[in-house]
């Protein structure tokens, strides 16, 4: 299908255009930081696009993997002298392995039961990060050493803008490509009907496990980037609320859509900043927006917009 | 969507309202979330005292424009707001960082931009090693441990059981106490932990009770846990064992929550809690009484030492501005570092190039709870 192929590349190119334009336009460290956070959380949400949107499984423990990635960036260089820029890869491997081990038993569960099991996993990781003071610095968090490349310390907000944007582009390109592969089709079959998929000869539990591991790796890399760009990590990053926020980002923008993941995380990162003028009502407004979107646009913002443009151009 | 547009317009409007003749003081506090019990009195204090300073003519004749952001007890958000404060306009000084985590996440930004940053969190890592633009006003956990062990030593207690919460204060204080105990000839005979949101600590205390020769129990924790530990301790009926609480207990609500169970509990505290009972010769007396009355009249709530930290931070900046005769961040920093014998609610502050905390263990008074009220222990 040559048409699909060009579509896919067009999306990534358009995204790259936006990234480069923003990189030029954004005037100061504050705006660059906000954009960086959007890219980082979008990367974590992309994992959920695969898990929720494509494979139809729910995870409420995604922030746990975000935490594993973040603490990999903090612990490995401080205690084992690993170069900081290698930590996202090691963190991703650890998260992937953890998701693989834990995923095997819990992915036999369905629906609410799966959600609760992943919730428990997220809580466990968060508890370990909070309580193992000797390793993680406890609730006060710990410092992340700045990566030094060719004698230059990477601490500028603009540097991290480009690093996170490049990671997002690669991540988005991979997810878009996945859609057309056998695995991608198997994921979709799984989402529509598990029974149907297994009748078609798809190894259901193996496919679920693949999606789960992939989502964990995405969250972990995002966590490492967050830790490295902040120069500091705390266990907040692995909290239950953070997991809920990630799922909200995914569902709000449109769980099937790559652009939706980015739009969803952009909304959740930007809204608290815009709403500071009505700080007391921030949570209320945020909640109301989510409820309204879910009632009137149940498939998320981006799919709804796509539908609308289709209807208007018809 | 309309809310968004309106909100956006409003935020632009507020920026343009800032008059030329004003100076901006920034603050990022945990007004909501897990650390709200710390952040809320801090926020109220800052608002009350900035209004008062403005009524008296502001800082060096300029109106103080106070910008407070709520980080929701999330260090990552605190960092974002810190960058925002610095990029939105020139701020002269920054107050806050309610928790150690939030302070540590924010301080690199202020070091980089050269704006003085006064933290309201207790962790010693904020000022150790000394960073050029970073100061803090609350006592450290180590000082609390030292003060408690000193008290134990004078009372001839040497076998102590530690029980600590999984919150920031609990963990860091536990480590500090274990580290300094040998210096005071104190032996840690038990070391138990509980979750910061646990609602019962009977199991841990029962284990502690079984230790032979136990003389004292020390709880390190903040929030609701000290009250629960105190009640469980009373229910288990320890005989001849003194219960020590930490400086995480810092308001009258602790006594209200525990009732008779807290009789005889000892804890280190800033002078603020026992303002009325300080001897007239105490230099801090007028300051703490004044703060207590102002805060209680304005909010209708009892003072806590946490709000006092915000008062100290703001007044140290105001004092430094007077001496520097400038509101330029660099000069303000130099003036803050040369603060000498400044009397605040937390103690008498003297900063220098090697000490950005400026308090000694003597800033803590040993307090005992008697007849449902605080009393000076010595």
């Amino acid at each position: 299908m040559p048409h699909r192929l060009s579509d896919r590349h067009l999306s990534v190119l358009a995204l790259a255009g936006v990234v480069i334009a923003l990189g030029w336009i954004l005037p100061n460290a504050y705006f660059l930081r906000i954009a960086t956070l959007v890219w980082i959380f979008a990367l974590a949400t992309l994992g959920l696009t695969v898990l929720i949107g494509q494979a139809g499984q729910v995870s409420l423990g995604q922030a746990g993997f975000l935490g594993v990635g973040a603490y990999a960036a903090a612990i490995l260089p401080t205690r084992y002298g690993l170069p900081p820029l290698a930590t996202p890869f090691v963190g991703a491997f650890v998260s992937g392995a953890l998701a693989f081990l834990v995923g095997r038993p819990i992915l036999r569960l369905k629906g609410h039961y799966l959600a609760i099991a992943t919730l428990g996993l997220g809580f466990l990781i968060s508890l370990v990060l909070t309580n193992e003071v000797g390793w993680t610095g406890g609730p006060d968090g710990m410092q992340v050493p700045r990566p030094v490349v060719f004698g230059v310390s990477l601490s500028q907000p603009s540097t991290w803008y480009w690093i996170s944007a490049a990671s997002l582009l690669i991540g988005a390109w991979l997810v878009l490509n996945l859609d057309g592969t056998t695995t991608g089709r198997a994921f979709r079959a799984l989402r529509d009907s598990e029974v149907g998929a297994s009748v078609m000869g798809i190894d259901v539990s193996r496919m679920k496990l693949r999606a789960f591991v992939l989502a964990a790796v995405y969250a972990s890399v995002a966590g490492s980037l967050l830790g490295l760009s902040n120069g500091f990590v705390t266990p907040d990053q692995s909290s239950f609320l953070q997991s809920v926020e990630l799922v909200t980002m995914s569902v709000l923008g449109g769980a099937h859509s790559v652009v939706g993941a980015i739009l969803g995380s952009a909304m959740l990162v930007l809204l608290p900043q815009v709403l500071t003028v009505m700080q007391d009502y921030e949570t209320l407004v945020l909640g109301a927006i989510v409820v309204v979107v879910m009632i009137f646009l149940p498939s998320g913002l981006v799919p709804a917009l796509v539908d609308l443009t289709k209807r208007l151009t018809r | 969507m309309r809310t968004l547009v309106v909100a956006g317009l409003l935020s632009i409007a507020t920026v343009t309202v800032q008059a030329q003749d004003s100076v901006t003081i920034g603050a990022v506090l945990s007004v909501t979330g897990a650390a709200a019990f710390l952040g809320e009195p801090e926020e109220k204090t800052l608002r009350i005292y900035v209004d008062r300073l403005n009524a008296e003519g502001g800082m060096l004749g300029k109106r103080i424009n106070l910008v407070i952001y709520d980080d929701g007890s999330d260090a990552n958000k605190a960092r974002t707001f810190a960058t925002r404060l610095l990029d939105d306009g020139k701020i002269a000084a920054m107050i806050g960082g309610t928790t150690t985590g939030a302070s540590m996440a924010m301080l690199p930004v202020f070091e980089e931009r050269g704006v003085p940053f006064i933290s309201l969190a207790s962790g010693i890592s904020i000022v150790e090693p000394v960073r050029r633009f970073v100061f803090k006003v609350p006592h450290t956990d180590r000082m609390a441990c030292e003060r408690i062990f000193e008290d134990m030593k004078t009372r001839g207690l040497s076998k102590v059981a530690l029980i600590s919460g999984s919150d920031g204060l609990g963990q860091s204080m536990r480590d500090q106490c274990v580290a300094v105990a040998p210096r005071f000839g104190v032996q840690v005979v038990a070391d138990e932990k509980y979750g910061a949101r646990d609602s019962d600590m009977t199991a841990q205390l029962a284990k502690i009770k079984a230790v032979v020769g136990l003389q004292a129990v020390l709880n390190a924790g903040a929030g609701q846990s000290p009250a629960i530990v105190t009640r469980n301790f009373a229910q288990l009926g320890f005989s001849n064992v003194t219960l020590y609480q930490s400086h995480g207990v810092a308001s009258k609500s602790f006594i209200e929550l525990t009732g008779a169970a807290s009789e005889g509990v000892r804890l280190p505290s800033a002078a603020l809690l026992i303002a009325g009972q300080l001897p007239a010769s105490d230099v801090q007396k007028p300051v703490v009484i004044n703060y207590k009355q102002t805060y209680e009249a304005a909010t209708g709530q009892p003072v806590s030492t946490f709000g006092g930290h915000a008062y100290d931070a703001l007044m140290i900046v105001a004092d430094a501005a007077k001496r520097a005769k400038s509101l330029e961040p660099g000069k303000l920093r130099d003036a803050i570092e040369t603060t000498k014998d400044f009397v605040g609610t937390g103690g008498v502050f003297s900063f220098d190039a090697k000490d950005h905390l400026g308090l000694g263990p003597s800033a803590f008074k040993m307090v005992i709870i008697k007849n449902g009220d605080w009393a000076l222990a010595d």
Side-chain angles (χ1 to χ4, degrees), chain A residues 143 232, chain B residues 103-104 107-108 111 117 124-135 333 337 353-354 356:
Chain A
Q143 218 87 39
F232 197 78
Chain B
S103 302
M104 293 302 288
L107 61 84
E111 276 292 285
F117 172 86
I124 197 154
S125 48
I126 299 166
V127 287
E128 239 174 51
V130 171
R131 294 170 180 87
R132 206 172 139 70
F133 284 89
V134 181
F135 300 85
R333 184 218 85 91
E337 194 172 69
K354 284 189 196 134
H356 279 195

Side-chain angles (χ1 to χ4, degrees), chain A residues 28-30 33-34 37 41 130-131 133 139-140 143 146 226 229-230 232 234 236 271 273-274 276-277 279, chain B residues 4 7 11 68-70 73-76 79-81 83-84 87 100-101 104-105 113 166-168 171-172 175:
Chain A
N28 58 30
Y30 166 59
R33 174 172 165 81
I34 295 280
L37 286 178
F41 282 112
T130 312
N131 289 323
V133 183
D140 288 342
Q143 218 87 39
R146 290 289 188 193
L226 191 63
S229 64
N230 275 346
F232 197 78
T234 62
D236 301 338
L271 274 177
Q273 297 295 321
V274 179
T276 46
V277 269
Q279 210 153 39
Chain B
L4 264 178
S11 64
I68 299 182
Y69 290 125
D70 171 20
S73 306
D74 176 349
N76 191 43
R79 171 68 167 263
T80 307
F81 282 124
T83 340
R84 178 171 182 172
D87 281 330
T100 306
M104 293 302 288
R113 302 286 191 92
S166 64
D167 54 311
Q171 291 307 304
S172 121
D175 291 350

Side-chain angles (χ1 to χ4, degrees), chain B residues 117-248:
Chain B
F117 172 86
I118 305 188
S119 168
L120 307 179
S122 67
I124 197 154
S125 48
I126 299 166
V127 287
E128 239 174 51
V130 171
R131 294 170 180 87
R132 206 172 139 70
F133 284 89
V134 181
F135 300 85
K136 85 181 203 84
V137 283
H139 325 84
T140 64
D141 310 332
R142 187 188 298 166
M143 285 158 60
C145 294
E146 287 169 347
R147 188 67 189 84
I148 290 171
F149 290 153
E150 207 181 281
D151 188 64
M152 287 183 185
K153 205 174 159 189
T154 49
R155 299 180 62 226
L157 308 175
S158 64
K159 287 201 156 71
V160 59
L162 286 182
I163 177 166
S164 52
S166 64
D167 54 311
L169 173 86
Q171 291 307 304
S172 121
M173 183 163 167
R174 180 227 159 250
D175 291 350
Q176 298 293 340
C177 283
V178 169
V180 300
R183 266 208 283 133
F184 295 85
V186 169
Q187 194 191 346
V188 177
V189 290
D191 187 4
E192 293 291 325
K193 282 183 187 173
Y194 54 82
R197 292 194 193 108
D198 287 2
S199 54
D200 189 275
M201 286 75 160
T202 313
Q204 289 91 332
L205 285 167
K207 240 172 128 182
I208 287 174
K209 201 184 169 199
V211 176
V212 184
L214 182 73
Q215 292 173 311
V217 174
L218 166 54
N219 174 43
Q224 65 207 8
S225 54
I228 299 170
V229 169
T230 306
R231 265 183 313 194
N232 291 160
F233 182 87
Q235 283 155 4
L236 284 175
F238 282 76
S239 59
N240 267 331
V241 177
T242 313
L243 177 62
Y244 282 83
Q245 289 287 354
S246 72
H247 55 310

Side-chain angles (χ1 to χ4, degrees), chain B residues 79-103:
Chain B
R79 171 68 167 263
T80 307
F81 282 124
T83 340
R84 178 171 182 172
L85 275 172
L86 287 166
D87 281 330
D88 262 1
K90 256 179 97 87
I91 65 169
M94 162 80 178
I95 293 172
T98 298
T99 61
T100 306
S103 302

